[in-house]
Amino acid sequence: MSTALPFNPEKKRIIDDLLKEQEESTGGKGLLPKSKISVKGTTSYEPIYRIPTKFLYYNKSNGRIKAEIIEKEAELGKQFDIWDDNDQLEFRSILLAIRREENDKIKEDLKTNSQTTPGVITCDGIVINGNRRKALFEELYEETSDEKYKYLDVQVLPSNISKAELWLIEAGIQLSAPQQLDYSPINNLLKLREGKNSGLDEKEMAARLYGISEDEIIEDLERLNLIDEYLTDFIGKPGKYYLTKGLAEHFIDLQQILTWANAPRGKKIDWVDGPNLSDINELKLVGFYYIRMRMPHLRIRELRDHFAIQDVWKEQIRVLDLNNDLTKEEKKSGGIIVPVTKENDD
C-alpha cells in the first residue's frame, strides 16, 4: 500500500480555512463551480477554489524546470527550500525566463480571457499544475495592481495522496504527447524517472500518459541511464543535467547505434569474430568524445558505418588514440569508462 506524502500542517491549516470560508460564503461545497479531475483512478467533478497566490508555493519538483533548478542550485551552492520566500522568487524567475516568447503569449491570453482551467495544488498549497500561471499572474499584478491577478483558481488534492498518485496526476495533465513540447528533452526524461522512482512501472505510466507507449518509456529511461553514464563516468559531473542542453539528438543517435552494435540488423557488419563488450564500450567512448566536443549529431551517426568494418574501426581508434584512456583491466571487463575532463570543464 502506498504511503501518503507528508505535508506542512501549518500551511494546510491556512488552505483549509480558505476552503471553508469559500464554502460557507456560497452556502456549501456543492454550490462552488466544479471541474473534472482524476484522483486514485477515479474521475469526478470537484470544487474549484480561488486561492490568493501568496498562499501558494511553486513546486521545486516541477518537471518543466527540473534541470534548470539543478543548474541554479549548483550556481548558488545550496539546495532550495520550497517554503523559503527568497527561494520561491528564484523558482519564479526560472519559470518566467524559460520559453519567454511562449510565456508572453500565455500572459496576453490571461489578460484577455483570465484563467479558463483550474490549477491543481496539494493540501498545503504546493502547485502541482499551474506554476507558470501563478508566476504570470504575479507578474501581471506587479505591472497593473489589478486585484484579479492576486488569485489562482485551483482544485485541492486530498491529504492522503501518495507519491505515485501525485506523479500520475501531474504527468497525466502535463506529460501526455500533446503537452510534451512544454518540457525540454532532459526534463521529460527526468520526469519519467521520477515516476519510476515513485514506485510505478513502465506499463502503469504508459496507461496514464496519452500517446506514449510502454516501449517508448523504457527506451527513454535507458537513454537517461546513458546520459548519467556520460555525466558521471566520462566527465565526472554526476547529476548536472544542464550540461547536456542542446545534446538530445546526440544521445538519441548514440543510443540507437549502441543498440544496433549489440544486435546488428540491416547493415552488414564485417568483423572476424564479431565485436565484443570491450569493442562496444570503445564505441560508446568515441560517442562520448564526440558529444563532449559538441560535434554535430550527424557525425555520431557516421560511427555506425565506421564500426561496421573492423579494420576501419581499429584505424579510427588508433588515430584518436583512445586506447590510452582505457586501462587493460577496463578493456578486459569492457565496463568502466574513466573520466577525461578537468575540474573547470563546466
Side-chain angles (χ1 to χ4, degrees):
M1 184 176 180
S2 299
T3 304
L5 282 171
F7 56 81
N8 186 313
E10 180 184 350
K11 307 298 184 185
K12 182 179 183 298
R13 279 194 293 272
I14 293 172
I15 297 297
D16 286 343
D17 289 343
L18 289 167
L19 304 190
K20 183 177 180 182
E21 180 182 329
Q22 290 182 47
E23 289 164 7
E24 291 177 347
S25 68
T26 58
K29 184 186 296 188
L31 298 178
L32 288 167
K34 293 184 178 182
S35 181
K36 187 166 63 173
I37 187 172
S38 295
V39 180
K40 298 183 179 181
T42 301
T43 300
S44 59
Y45 285 86
E46 297 298 331
I48 301 171
Y49 300 92
R50 177 157 291 186
I51 306 296
T53 56
K54 67 180 181 180
F55 296 127
L56 301 178
Y57 297 85
Y58 295 110
N59 183 10
K60 178 182 175 179
S61 299
N62 182 359
R64 288 192 178 98
I65 58 173
K66 184 69 173 179
E68 289 77 9
I69 290 288
I70 293 172
E71 180 177 8
K72 196 66 178 180
E73 287 180 332
E75 176 189 325
L76 298 176
K78 70 165 192 173
Q79 296 290 308
F80 284 129
D81 177 0
I82 196 170
W83 307 113
D84 183 89
D85 290 341
N86 291 326
D87 289 350
Q88 282 287 307
L89 290 175
E90 291 285 358
F91 297 154
R92 178 182 143 181
S93 296
I94 293 171
L95 279 163
L96 292 175
I98 60 173
R99 305 169 72 95
R100 185 67 246 192
E101 184 177 337
E102 183 178 318
N103 283 345
D104 288 340
K105 291 178 181 178
I106 295 173
K107 186 176 177 181
E108 286 304 310
D109 183 68
L110 290 173
K111 287 166 66 175
T112 303
N113 302 309
S114 191
Q115 186 180 349
T116 56
T117 57
V120 178
I121 67 171
T122 61
C123 66
D124 49 1
I126 298 172
V127 181
I128 301 305
N129 184 44
N131 283 273
R132 181 161 52 181
R133 279 171 287 175
K134 168 175 155 62
L136 291 171
F137 270 140
E138 290 177 342
E139 189 174 62
L140 282 167
Y141 179 71
E142 291 171 0
E143 293 172 357
T144 67
S145 297
D146 191 326
E147 291 287 314
K148 69 181 180 182
Y149 296 128
K150 291 175 66 175
Y151 302 88
L152 190 70
D153 291 340
V154 298
Q155 292 176 293
V156 184
L157 297 173
S159 59
N160 62 347
I161 202 81
S162 69
K163 184 177 181 180
E165 183 58 36
L166 190 63
W167 186 91
L168 288 170
I169 293 168
E170 181 180 3
I173 295 171
Q174 298 179 355
L175 206 59
S176 293
Q179 285 77 38
Q180 274 193 342
L181 291 177
D182 214 17
Y183 279 68
S184 68
I186 188 62
N187 284 335
N188 181 66
L189 298 180
L190 291 172
K191 194 64 186 175
L192 291 175
R193 176 178 284 173
E194 182 184 300
K196 184 77 173 175
N197 291 341
S198 75
L200 298 166
D201 60 32
E202 292 85 353
K203 185 175 183 179
E204 292 172 308
M205 293 159 66
R208 198 68 166 256
L209 301 179
Y210 173 77
I212 305 174
S213 70
E214 181 181 352
D215 287 342
E216 287 173 321
I217 292 175
I218 292 171
E219 184 178 358
D220 284 347
L221 291 173
E222 288 174 350
R223 185 160 65 256
L224 184 54
N225 290 336
L226 183 65
I227 291 171
D228 279 328
E229 192 172 349
Y230 169 78
L231 291 173
T232 302
D233 297 330
F234 191 74
I235 68 172
K237 306 291 182 183
K240 296 189 176 181
Y241 297 103
Y242 54 88
L243 297 178
T244 65
K245 185 177 181 180
L247 297 173
E249 292 295 330
H250 294 67
F251 284 105
I252 290 172
D253 289 339
L254 181 56
Q255 181 185 21
Q256 291 174 346
I257 291 168
L258 292 172
T259 299
W260 165 80
N262 278 285
R265 291 197 305 266
K267 188 174 185 64
K268 185 178 179 181
I269 189 162
D270 183 12
W271 283 64
V272 176
D273 298 315
N276 58 32
L277 184 60
S278 177
D279 298 315
I280 294 173
N281 189 59
E282 247 177 4
L283 172 61
K284 185 192 300 181
L285 181 61
V286 174
F288 284 171
Y289 264 101
Y290 278 27
I291 290 171
R292 178 172 175 256
M293 294 170 68
R294 297 268 170 170
M295 288 187 176
H297 72 91
L298 294 177
R299 290 287 303 277
I300 293 178
R301 293 185 184 180
E302 295 173 359
L303 292 177
R304 178 175 172 176
D305 293 331
H306 300 166
F307 192 77
I309 304 172
Q310 186 173 14
D311 291 341
V312 172
W313 182 250
K314 293 305 178 183
E315 177 62 15
Q316 175 161 341
I317 294 299
R318 187 191 66 78
V319 171
L320 291 175
D321 198 26
L322 294 185
N323 285 316
N324 292 331
D325 290 299
L326 292 174
T327 68
K328 291 180 180 179
E329 290 76 18
E330 287 164 346
K331 286 178 69 64
K332 192 180 299 181
S333 68
I336 303 170
I337 296 176
V338 294
V340 296
T341 61
K342 298 177 182 178
E343 281 302 310
N344 63 354
D345 261 1
D346 281 6

